[in-house]
Amino acid sequence: MVNDPTLNLLVGKASDILDNTLEKNVREPIRFLVNWGRLYSLWPVHLETACCSIEFGAASGPRHDVERFGMLEAFGSLRQCDVLVVQGTVTRKMAPRMKWVYEQMPEPKWVIAMGACAISGGLYMDSYNVLQGVDKIVPVDVYIPGCPPRPETLIQGIIELQNKIRKSKV
Amino acid sequence: MQNAAMNIEDKGGDQLVLHVGPQHPGSGHFRIIVTVDGDYIVGAKPDPGYVHRGAEKMAEYRDYIQNIPHLERPVIIDATGVTLPYVLTAEKIIDVEAPDRAQYIRMIMAELNRIISHLYWLGIYGIFLGHSTMFMWPMGDRELFIDLAESIGGTRVTFSYVVPGGVRNDMPTNFKERALKTFDYFEKRIEEYKKIFFNNPLMSARTEGIGTMDKKDAIRLGITGSNLRACGIDSDTRKDETYCLYDRVDFEIPTRKEGDSYARCIVRLEELQQSMNIMKQVFDLIEPGPIKQVIGGVMRGEPGEAFVRTEAARGTMFYHIVSDGEKNPYRVKISVPSFRNLIGMTHLLVGSRLADMPAIYWSLDYWPVEADR
């Protein structure tokens, strides 16, 4: 009976239908809800690594105001944060600290590499004390170019990160 | 990794060692190791160097023009303040002199940058004292001055505008009107700042008499800039060793006698007004003319050395360039005001309460990136 090809086909079809129904009516709404919850309540870690931090500060200011896009100002404990914005150059001395901060953050977590130095060393490509790109030690989700990036560029990077979160699996 | 894991250390007795930074809402890219006995700080050991990028060594691989962008990165908040002394030193080596109009535009940019830098400092100081309005107001008004600087320099913060021989481009024709409009608005705002922040009893309770620096100590420790002027010493490099054309404008040096955190704040606030006064005078003095002395070919310095001291937003910025006649400088030594104020910070923290640490730390306007170079 098990070897009956017609029945096998039937069982296969039924499981497909069941799976599709589950996907459409249960998993997708849950995924949407969870992602939607994460999307607009991003908490950045306050880890300034170099000079891009002033444009990060300006982005929190009244003219640019990242908060209206669902990213808070950088205050509070890293135990409740989920975004690590690497604000510029990471030196040899800062690199282990940054990795340590990243490891302490709870899941899910995302990393934004802000500025040319964080992406690839940038202006400091031949400096003896600069890490050539932070993606060597932490996984990076969004790269924001610029030296330093304008606050508008930072906001665009945050929106890109939100698009990524929206599509992510739970 | 090993030392990063060590954050609190028991010294025995009532003493405890606390590491503040580099991941701390107040510290920035900097760590200070304080020993506390109860609520009082008995020892403070700064641990700078988190942003040491080797700017001095890198300057030896690049020629005089290529050096400008990376030498302004240590203080992008005060980009002209840090590149102007470099360019003035390089001009001595290369033996060129900028025309008068270029000198005036340099002064405008330097003063605009001083305002931008002081307003950033004021915003962060508001946050340090738990005053969110004082973060929002200066950060909002700072954008107006950034707009002015952007219309001359082309970018928001990193202009690379001052070059050996002059400035990169002329300023826009309607700049004077726009600037005067902004100054009119901002002069009214300064009064509002005083109302909400500087005359606020909460602010004065947290800063008056906190972190008092003696006049003798300030000289002994080599404190510079507004921190020195807050101790009652009217030292300003713009007047003491005139550069550009600062001798043609008339301005006051704001000083205070108290030497505490409040005095340092109020001195910076008055410097905003003085910077605007300087720019207003420059608008009357400036005349049409060339903005650049064109240098043909690659710039080569004469063998020898030169040094220039200028007044940046945080204090005296000093450059020493040694040249061996090649297109690259042989050695560039930068002496930055933040590093010298760091010594003063250690002196001030010992004996104060732990809760006063943010008020003292940021009242010195210590910018770690500048100190580390």
Side-chain angles (χ1 to χ4, degrees):
Chain A
M1 187 171 171
V2 181
N3 292 330
D4 189 347
T6 335
L7 193 75
N8 259 358
L9 205 67
L10 257 174
V11 170
K13 276 260 186 216
S15 82
D16 271 4
I17 291 166
L18 195 67
D19 203 49
N20 278 346
T21 326
L22 264 176
E23 177 71 28
K24 209 174 175 187
N25 295 325
V26 183
R27 281 193 215 127
E28 212 175 276
I30 290 178
R31 191 188 302 152
F32 173 78
L33 266 179
V34 172
N35 282 341
W36 175 80
R38 285 172 180 167
L39 201 58
Y40 297 116
S41 58
L42 298 172
W43 282 62
V45 183
H46 194 274
L47 180 74
E48 296 173 337
T49 54
C51 42
C52 282
S53 59
I54 74 150
E55 288 299 70
F56 190 79
S60 309
R63 185 183 280 187
H64 303 285
D65 193 13
V66 284
E67 224 167 302
R68 67 204 156 117
F69 295 95
M71 174 131 145
L72 292 173
E73 285 173 36
F75 295 105
S77 160
L78 54 90
R79 292 287 188 196
Q80 60 197 23
C81 292
D82 45 14
V83 181
L84 173 64
V85 184
V86 184
Q87 298 162 11
T89 326
V90 178
T91 57
R92 278 167 190 250
K93 193 172 178 178
M94 188 59 108
R97 271 83 173 177
M98 194 190 71
K99 192 158 169 54
W100 212 55
V101 162
Y102 177 76
E103 282 164 1
Q104 283 188 62
M105 285 161 61
E107 292 276 353
K109 52 194 171 187
W110 300 277
V111 179
I112 295 179
M114 180 182 180
C117 301
I119 295 172
S120 66
L123 204 59
Y124 295 92
M125 70 200 181
D126 55 354
S127 171
Y128 53 84
N129 204 31
V130 171
L131 187 72
Q132 307 296 323
V134 289
D135 45 10
K136 286 182 181 162
I137 54 169
V138 291
V140 178
D141 294 281
V142 177
Y143 297 88
I144 305 177
C147 189
R150 293 174 70 94
E152 294 94 326
T153 326
L154 177 68
I155 289 169
Q156 196 199 354
I158 290 161
I159 292 169
E160 286 297 320
L161 180 67
Q162 286 172 338
N163 287 339
K164 187 172 178 176
I165 296 170
R166 196 176 277 126
K167 287 175 198 152
S168 64
K169 295 234 163 70
V170 179
Chain B
M1 287 305 272
Q2 209 58 45
N3 53 357
M6 204 68 183
N7 261 336
I8 295 177
E9 183 192 324
D10 188 3
K11 290 266 277 190
D14 295 334
Q15 294 197 346
L16 198 68
V17 173
L18 272 177
H19 291 215
V20 183
Q23 195 280 319
H24 183 270
S27 71
H29 4 51
F30 168 66
R31 178 165 74 166
I32 188 152
I33 303 160
V34 290
T35 314
V36 286
D37 187 348
D39 200 20
Y40 287 92
I41 296 171
V42 293
K45 200 172 146 219
D47 177 21
Y50 283 93
V51 209
H52 174 68
R53 299 183 282 200
E56 289 180 4
K57 187 71 190 164
M58 278 172 64
E60 294 167 16
Y61 308 145
R62 288 158 169 75
D63 65 33
Y64 287 98
I65 283 280
Q66 287 170 336
N67 268 330
I68 296 169
H70 85 85
L71 284 176
E72 87 179 347
R73 256 59 183 180
V75 211
I76 57 171
I77 203 170
D78 178 26
T80 316
V82 66
T83 45
L84 182 59
Y86 166 74
V87 169
L88 291 174
T89 322
E91 278 180 349
K92 277 191 182 178
I93 294 266
I94 304 163
D95 197 23
V96 288
E97 202 168 348
D100 275 9
R101 186 175 172 84
Q103 301 281 24
Y104 281 130
I105 301 178
R106 284 174 180 186
M107 282 163 68
I108 292 174
M109 282 303 268
E111 297 307 318
L112 273 177
N113 258 168
R114 194 183 311 278
I115 293 177
I116 290 168
S117 173
H118 279 5
L119 283 177
Y120 182 84
W121 161 83
L122 188 56
I124 303 294
Y125 201 55
I127 280 287
F128 266 50
L129 300 181
H131 199 300
S132 297
T133 311
M134 211 49 207
F135 171 73
M136 289 299 174
W137 283 12
M139 288 305 251
D141 292 337
R142 180 174 168 264
E143 297 289 336
L144 301 174
F145 289 98
I146 285 184
D147 283 349
L148 287 180
E150 193 178 354
S151 69
I152 298 183
T155 55
R156 267 176 64 88
V157 279
T158 47
F159 315 109
S160 302
Y161 180 66
V162 185
V163 290
V167 291
R168 231 180 44 225
N169 53 281
D170 210 338
M171 58 181 195
T173 41
N174 65 341
F175 184 80
K176 186 184 169 186
E177 289 74 37
R178 284 184 56 197
L180 289 178
K181 222 166 136 187
T182 311
F183 296 166
D184 281 349
Y185 164 77
F186 189 65
E187 273 159 13
K188 284 177 213 140
R189 289 291 280 178
I190 287 180
E191 296 307 312
E192 288 178 30
Y193 286 177
K194 281 183 186 161
K195 257 186 224 164
I196 199 169
F197 191 63
F198 289 89
N199 299 339
N200 189 333
L202 285 174
M203 149 74 175
S204 35
R206 285 206 62 184
T207 52
E208 269 179 17
I210 303 294
T212 310
M213 170 100 57
D214 202 32
K215 204 172 177 176
K216 276 182 194 159
D217 282 338
I219 296 171
R220 182 173 61 86
L221 297 169
I223 308 298
T224 67
S226 317
N227 303 328
L228 183 64
R229 293 192 278 277
C231 304
I233 302 159
D234 59 342
S235 146
D236 191 320
T237 320
R238 286 174 291 180
K239 283 215 169 168
D240 300 343
E241 300 171 26
T242 302
Y243 56 95
C244 286
L245 297 169
Y246 275 108
D247 50 342
R248 296 193 195 170
V249 293
D250 179 39
F251 64 99
E252 288 167 24
I253 306 173
T255 49
R256 279 286 181 283
K257 285 200 182 76
E258 297 85 8
D260 56 0
S261 301
Y262 189 78
R264 290 192 278 273
C265 294
I266 209 84
V267 162
R268 290 213 177 83
L269 189 77
E270 284 170 9
E271 278 175 16
L272 295 176
Q273 183 63 54
Q274 292 305 324
S275 289
M276 286 192 285
N277 289 351
I278 292 175
M279 277 189 272
K280 280 179 194 166
Q281 292 174 46
V282 170
F283 289 144
D284 294 334
L285 287 169
I286 195 164
E287 280 167 6
I291 51 149
K292 198 179 191 177
Q293 186 185 337
V294 181
I295 307 159
V298 181
M299 290 176 192
R300 274 176 202 280
E302 299 292 317
E305 50 190 307
F307 56 87
V308 164
R309 217 191 309 257
T310 64
E311 187 77 17
R314 283 166 180 72
T316 308
M317 185 77 75
F318 177 88
Y319 269 79
H320 183 190
I321 298 181
V322 182
S323 162
D324 57 354
E326 291 297 314
K327 63 182 182 14
N328 302 343
Y330 178 74
R331 172 89 172 92
V332 177
K333 166 72 188 148
I334 320 164
S335 174
V336 286
S338 282
F339 194 77
R340 277 180 260 167
N341 293 340
L342 182 63
I343 304 162
M345 189 200 298
T346 325
H347 172 77
L348 290 180
L349 282 177
V350 174
S352 64
R353 280 173 181 273
L354 187 63
D356 291 335
M357 200 178 135
I360 296 173
Y361 168 67
W362 198 250
S363 76
L364 289 165
D365 202 359
Y366 173 69
W367 185 243
V369 195
E370 182 187 66
D372 297 345
R373 281 157 283 164

